[in-house]
Amino acid sequence: MSQVERQQWDVVVVGAGGAGLRAAIEAREQGARTAVICKSLFGKAHTVMAEGGIAASMGNVNSGDNWQVHFRDTLRGGKFLNQWRMAELHAREAPDRVWELETWGALFDRTKDGRISQRNFGGHEYPRLAHVGDRTGLELIRTLQQKIVALQQEDKREFGNYEARLKVFQECTVTRVLKDESASGDGRVTGAFCYERESGRFFVIEAPSVVLATGGIGKSFKVTSNSWEYTGDGHALALLAGAPLLNMEFVQFHPTGMVWPPSVKGILVTESVRGDGGVLRNSEGKRFMFDYIPDVFKEKYAESEAEGDRWYEDPDHNRRPPELLPRDEVARAINAEVKAGRGSPHGGVFLDVSTRMPAEVIRRRLPSMYHQFKELADVDITAEAMEVGPTCHYVMGGIAVESDTAAARGVPGLFAAGEVAGGMHGSNRLGGNSLSDLLVFGRRAGLYAARHAAAPDAARSVDEAQVDTAAAEALRPFSAEGPRDGTVPENPYTLHQELQQTMNDLVGIIRREGEMAEALERLADLRQRARRAGVEGHRQFNPGWHLALDLRNMLLVSECVARAALERTESRGGHTREDHPGMNRDWRRVNLLCRLAEPADDSPTAGRPDVRAEPAAGSAAPVGGLAAAEPARGRIALTRVTTDPIRPDLLALFDKEELVKYLAEEELFE
Ligand code: FAD
C-alpha cells in the first residue's frame, strides 16, 4: 500500500507551454478547478523559443487575406493530409485568439497606422504572422502567465486563496495517466501520477479530465532545434493509456538550423530571415531555390530573381521567391545541394541577409538572430552570410483527436492540444501555424475538458493498485541490474545518445527501406537495454533518473516514427523516401494509426486487452486492417484508416486543376 499524497482537481493540464496555459485559462474560466503540471520552471516552456510569429488572417497588411485563404495555404502546406475540420477551425478562429491576447496585454509590433503588424512566412500567401520582433513566443507566454496571475488574484479576492481554482505545479513530471479499469468502468481517465523533480516525491492528482499539452519529440534526434523537454512524454502517455497516435512518420526538418560550431548545431535560424528578404545561396553563389520549385507550386512562385525581389515591395503584381516555399521543400533542396558538393565549409548552405537590408534594419527586425550568431558563432549577420542546414524541428504526427473537442480518441476524459496533438498540419506544418494552433485548440481542449469534468458521472477516484504499480515503475532505475551477474546496469546517457544517432542516421530527412528496418532492429535492442537502465544516488534532483524515465517515452515514440515511415511508400511533406520519391495520390486518404501492440509488461494495468485491432473512432474507417501485424520485436502495431471526404464547400475553395494534383481518383469522382 503506497503513501502517495493525493489531491483532487476537476481538470489537470499536463504542460505549461502555449497550449497548456491557454487550456488552463479556459477550463478555469468555465468554472473548473484546474491544476497545471509542468516539467520545467513555469514560464520556461518550449513555446518561449518561438521566434517568427502567430499566423492569423487578420488582413492588417494585405486586406486580401481571410480565413479561406489561410485554410487553403494550410492544406497546400500539409499536402492535403490535414484533418480538414481542424484546419478550418484553426483558420476561422486564429484572428480572435490573437486579438484576445492583445486584450490580455500582449504588445505586438505595429503597422504604420497602428494595427498589429504581420510578416511574410513560407507557404503563406499574404503577410500573416503577428509578431514581436523575433521573440513572439516569449510575449505569448508572458501574456498567458499574466492572465493566469490575474485569475489567481480574482480567487484571492473571492476565496482568500490564490490557488483555490488554478494552481501550477512547476518542475513536476507526469509519468502515467491513470484510468478506471474496473469491470463496470469504461476506461475513463481518473488522474495522473507525478513526481517532483527537485525532491523526487511522488503525488497523484485525481481528476476526471486530463489535457495533454506536452509538446514534441525532437530530443529523439541528434540534430534538433528543440529544448530538453521534448522527449515525447505526452505522445507516450497517450499510447500507454490506450489512445492512438496519428501519422507519426511526418517529422518536420526545418531548413535552417545553425551548422557551426558543433556545440550549437541544430539551433534554429528563424524563417523570418527569409520572410524579411534573406536569400539562400550555394558555394557557387547561386540562388539555387529557383531550381527546386515542384510542379504543384510552379504557378505560385517567381521564375526569376528579379521577380522574386520585386515581390517584397509589390506582392500584388509579382510572385513570391522560392526561398519561401514550405519548409519540407526548402529542407530537401538544401540537402540536395550539400550532397551534390555545393555546400558551405561546414556542411550547410549560405543564408544571406547582409546584402539585402541595412545593418540597423537587421538589428531591429532580427535582434535574436543577430545576437545568436554574434555570441555563439562569432558571425556578424549584418556583414556576412550565415551557414545553415536542416534540423529536426516539429512533429506533425500526434495524438489522434476529435477536431471540435480535442478529445483523444478512445479514452474518455483525455484531451490533447498543441504540438502533441496530430492531424491539424497534415504532412507538413507552415511556419506560424503552431502558435495559432495551440491557442485555438488549447482553448477548445480546456473548454471540453471542463465540460467533461462537470458531467455527473465524471470519474473521481484513483485505484490504489495503479498508484503502486506506477511508483514501482518509476523507481525501477534505482534497482536495475546488468544482463548477467556481476555486470553493471545500462547508462541512460549512453542509451540516449545511441537513440539520437539511430534516428538521425536511419529515420532522418531522407529515408530508405533498409535503413528504417535496421532502425527498428536497433530500437528493439535499445528498448531491451533501457529496461536495465540504472542510476545511482537518491531521488533528489537526479537528472540521470529523470532521463532513465524519459527514455521509455522516446523509445516508444521513435518506434512509432520508424514503423509508420517504413509503411508509407510515398514521399509527402515531412516524410521523404528515396526509394519512393513521388507523392502518390492513392496515399492521400490514408492515415496511419499507431497503438500499443501488446499489454505493457511494465504497465500499471497489466492484462489490459490489446487495443490494436480496433478501428479509430470518429471520422476514420479501417481500410487495410493491421498494416504491420503485431511486430515481432517492438511494441507498436499500425492500422490504416481512411479520412472523411473533405466537405464540398471547402473543396470549392480550390481550382479543379489544383485538386487533380492531390486527390485520389475516386475522390475526384465523388
Ligand atoms: P510547449 O511549449 O513545449 O510546452 C510543453 C510543456 O509540457 C512544457 O511546459 C513542459 O515542461 C511540459 N511537459 C512535457 N512533458 C511533461 C511531463 N511528462 N510532465 C509534465 N510536464 C511536461 N511555431 C510558430 O507557430 N511560430 C514560430 O515562430 C515558431 N518558432 C519556433 C522557434 C523555435 C526555436 C522552435 C524550437 C519552435 C518554434 N515554433 C514556432 C514551434 C512552436 O514553438 C511549438 O510547436 C510550440 O511552442 C509548442 O507548444 P506546446 O504548448 O504544444 O508545447
Side-chain angles (χ1 to χ4, degrees), residues 631-643:
R633 282 171 43 81
R635 293 184 64 182
I636 301 299
L638 284 176
T639 315
R640 288 189 188 198
V641 293
T642 40
T643 56

Side-chain angles (χ1 to χ4, degrees), residues 347-388:
V349 293
F350 296 104
L351 172 60
D352 181 30
V353 78
S354 65
T355 56
R356 313 272 302 170
M357 280 188 256
E360 92 272 1
V361 177
I362 296 173
R363 277 194 291 266
R364 177 163 46 81
R365 289 190 65 88
L366 302 165
S368 299
M369 287 304 105
Y370 175 74
H371 288 292
Q372 183 172 309
F373 273 89
K374 196 90 190 107
E375 279 158 30
L376 301 179
D378 198 22
V379 167
D380 178 356
I381 67 169
T382 65
E384 54 193 314
M386 303 162 241
E387 275 187 78
V388 295

Side-chain angles (χ1 to χ4, degrees), residues 6-277:
R6 295 177 183 221
Q7 297 201 17
Q8 284 78 33
W9 293 83
D10 296 327
V11 173
V12 53
V13 177
V14 188
L21 294 187
R22 189 60 192 82
I25 290 167
E26 191 64 25
R28 155 66 181 78
E29 289 203 312
Q30 295 296 320
R33 289 184 66 251
T34 303
V36 180
I37 304 186
C38 57
K39 183 158 148 163
S40 50
L41 287 167
F42 189 42
K44 280 282 195 178
H46 185 90
T47 299
V48 165
M49 296 162 73
E51 294 161 352
I54 312 171
S57 61
M58 296 183 288
N60 287 355
V61 175
N62 189 319
S63 59
D65 206 7
N66 55 44
W67 77 260
Q68 289 95 335
V69 186
H70 192 180
F71 172 82
R72 268 203 312 253
D73 290 346
T74 301
L75 252 71
R76 283 178 187 135
K79 304 271 172 12
F80 277 65
L81 206 75
N82 316 58
Q83 203 155 304
W84 54 263
R85 173 67 177 155
M86 286 180 95
E88 181 195 7
L89 290 168
H90 166 258
R92 282 181 186 269
E93 295 178 6
D96 283 346
R97 298 286 75 78
V98 174
W99 282 314
E100 171 182 80
L101 279 186
E102 193 170 47
T103 66
W104 293 348
L107 293 168
F108 290 103
D109 288 359
R110 319 305 293 183
T111 59
K112 283 197 181 100
D113 57 355
R115 294 187 286 175
I116 294 175
S117 177
Q118 299 189 266
R119 64 160 46 117
N120 287 304
F121 241 54
H124 292 282
E125 189 163 339
Y126 295 115
R128 189 175 283 148
L129 269 70
H131 58 275
V132 184
D134 54 5
R135 294 174 182 144
T136 311
L138 179 64
E139 181 67 356
L140 190 150
I141 288 289
R142 188 197 66 73
T143 306
L144 295 178
Q145 272 188 284
Q146 185 175 307
K147 177 72 180 168
I148 283 187
V149 170
L151 290 169
Q152 289 179 322
Q153 284 170 339
E154 236 176 72
D155 284 354
K156 170 76 174 163
R157 285 192 293 275
E158 207 170 319
F159 304 101
N161 176 4
Y162 289 110
E163 294 174 335
R165 290 185 294 179
L166 185 51
K167 177 167 173 155
V168 179
F169 297 78
Q170 62 176 344
E171 292 202 277
C172 295
T173 301
V174 173
T175 63
R176 282 280 175 174
V177 169
L178 305 169
K179 301 199 314 177
D180 180 357
E181 300 285 358
S182 66
S184 56
D186 59 357
R188 60 182 48 214
V189 160
T190 53
F193 182 87
C194 331
Y195 71 90
E196 279 180 2
R197 295 171 77 81
E198 193 182 343
S199 65
R201 187 182 69 89
F202 295 143
F203 64 102
V204 166
I205 304 268
E206 293 184 319
S209 295
V210 172
V211 178
L212 295 174
T214 51
I217 66 165
K219 279 295 168 193
S220 295
F221 289 80
K222 190 174 171 194
V223 179
T224 178
S225 64
N226 289 182
S227 68
W228 67 271
E229 295 160 277
Y230 268 23
T231 49
D233 293 10
H235 291 79
L237 289 169
L239 266 181
L240 292 164
L245 303 187
L246 175 75
N247 292 339
M248 288 299 291
E249 63 276 32
F250 296 114
V251 177
Q252 182 169 83
F253 292 84
H254 194 291
T256 60
M258 293 177 81
V259 295
W260 186 258
S263 58
V264 300
K265 195 167 176 164
I267 290 183
L268 193 75
V269 180
T270 174
E271 194 165 324
S272 319
V273 176
R274 283 171 288 134
D276 286 359

